[in-house]
């Protein structure tokens, strides 16, 4: 299972989202560090809409997702962009 799929599975289990997309953006960062060719799964973006975020501030939403994905971050996930929303809120995606 890829890291991207693993993260999708964890997010679905924890938040039961009505909409979820995990995007691998590693290729966009090729050359940003010596020897990094943009391969692998080092830079991911999470776009998620879930009832669980209703009534939560943006910071609380980010903290909840970061806490859930702490093992993956500690294991080497370099960058995690998070775009959480509650149902009915406007998203850019």
């Amino acid at each position: 299972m890829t890291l991207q799929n693993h993260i999708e599975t964890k997010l679905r289990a924890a938040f039961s989202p009505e909409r979820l997309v995990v995007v691998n953006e590693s290729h966009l960062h090729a050359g940003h560090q010596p020897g990094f060719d943009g391969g692998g799964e080092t830079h991911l973006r999470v776009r998620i809409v879930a009832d669980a975020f209703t009534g939560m501030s943006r910071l609380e939403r980010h903290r909840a997702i970061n806490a859930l994905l702490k093992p993956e971050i500690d294991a080497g996930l370099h960058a995690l962009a998070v775009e959480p929303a509650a149902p009915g809120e406007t998203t850019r995606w």
Side-chain angles (χ1 to χ4, degrees), residues 1-17 19-26 40-48 53 64-83:
M1 177 183 293
T2 65
L3 179 59
Q4 182 177 350
N5 290 339
H6 174 73
I7 287 174
E8 286 177 8
T9 299
K10 285 184 78 169
L11 290 167
R12 286 188 194 286
F15 299 110
S16 300
R19 200 165 60 169
L20 173 65
V21 179
V22 178
V23 182
N24 184 350
E25 297 182 338
S26 301
E41 296 177 294
T42 58
H43 296 72
L44 298 178
R45 177 173 303 275
V46 171
R47 294 176 168 158
I48 185 170
F53 299 132
I65 291 170
N66 285 338
L68 178 70
L69 301 180
K70 185 176 184 333
E72 290 75 15
I73 294 167
D74 290 347
L77 178 59
H78 178 72
L80 180 66
V82 180
E83 299 178 40

